[in-house]
Amino acid sequence: IAGITQAPTSQILAAGRRMTLRCTQDMRHNAMYWYRQDLGLGLRLIHYSNTAGTTGKGEVPDGYSVSRANTDDFPLTLASAVPSQTSVYFCASSETSGRDTQYFGPGTRLTVL
Amino acid sequence: GQNIDQPTEMTATEGAIVQINCTYQTSGFNGLFWYQQHAGEAPTFLSYNVLDGLEEKGRFSSFLSRSKGYSYLLLKELQMKDSASYLCAVMDSNYQLIWGAGTKLIIKP
């Protein structure tokens, strides 16, 4: 593994189903982030984690949950998917939660029907 | 509220120079980032400015004026591979990135 990986690459999901998007980084970065990207809008922060064991809410957290049990993994869970959660989801990480560059995973394209 | 504005789309010719502007209003300022994003791919880091002035990195330069809430990304000697979206993002007082919607740059031969 080099950098950040995300799985799955894409997914079609029925409304009401539970879904976990996976994110793993091998850079030993302390901070990790989940964004969604929708056409015509900037990236919007869903949840973040400044260090293992801590998480925080971003701009659009409703309907999503995260956990950070260790440094490398930061899964995002949709408890009961709705069509408005159709989006491209990017995981990112940075060395610290300060003025550090964020590096992005390849993204997961999620369609909720 | 917090706001980042950049043009939706720009067109330029191969070999030419293009300037992509970004204006911002945010709660605090801890630097401005530019990212490049090719269609269907992840954003990749281009530049970071926290002090006023010009930062040059090869064919790409980025300028910041904190007093004017303004930045631009300058791309020289345009190549077809520069066709992409360019994202402006400001780090606010909570060290969170506020993103513009991106500028789609189309390069014509």
Side-chain angles (χ1 to χ4, degrees), chain A residues 27-31 33 50 93-98 100-101 103:
Chain A
M27 298 177 284
R28 308 303 294 172
H29 283 175
N30 285 306
Y33 314 85
N50 290 336
S93 72
S94 60
E95 191 167 344
T96 72
S97 56
D100 286 327
T101 299
Y103 296 93

Side-chain angles (χ1 to χ4, degrees), chain A residues 35 37 42 48 97 99 102 105, chain B residues 30 35 37 42 48 95-96 100:
Chain A
Y35 292 93
Q37 187 174 41
Y48 63 93
S97 56
R99 293 180 179 179
Q102 293 183 16
Chain B
N30 277 298
Y35 280 77
Q37 185 177 25
Y48 172 66
Y95 296 98
Q96 292 188 359

Side-chain angles (χ1 to χ4, degrees), chain B residues 73-107:
Chain B
L73 181 69
L74 192 72
L75 291 73
K76 303 176 185 176
E77 302 169 16
L78 286 170
Q79 302 175 11
M80 297 304 293
K81 68 179 182 179
D82 297 329
S83 292
S85 289
Y86 292 86
L87 315 181
C88 173
V90 173
M91 184 167 279
D92 70 9
S93 57
N94 294 318
Y95 296 98
Q96 292 188 359
L97 285 177
I98 309 302
W99 296 81
T103 298
K104 183 178 181 180
L105 178 63
I106 299 168
I107 310 295

Side-chain angles (χ1 to χ4, degrees), chain A residues 25 27 32 35 40 44 47 55 68 74 76 81-82 85 87 90 95-96 104 106 109 112:
Chain A
Q25 53 104 358
M27 298 177 284
M32 298 187 74
Y35 292 93
R44 291 183 291 169
H47 284 287
T55 62
R68 186 90 184 277
F74 191 43
L76 176 74
V82 294
Q85 292 177 312
S87 188
F90 287 104
E95 191 167 344
T96 72
F104 284 78
R109 183 173 295 275
V112 183

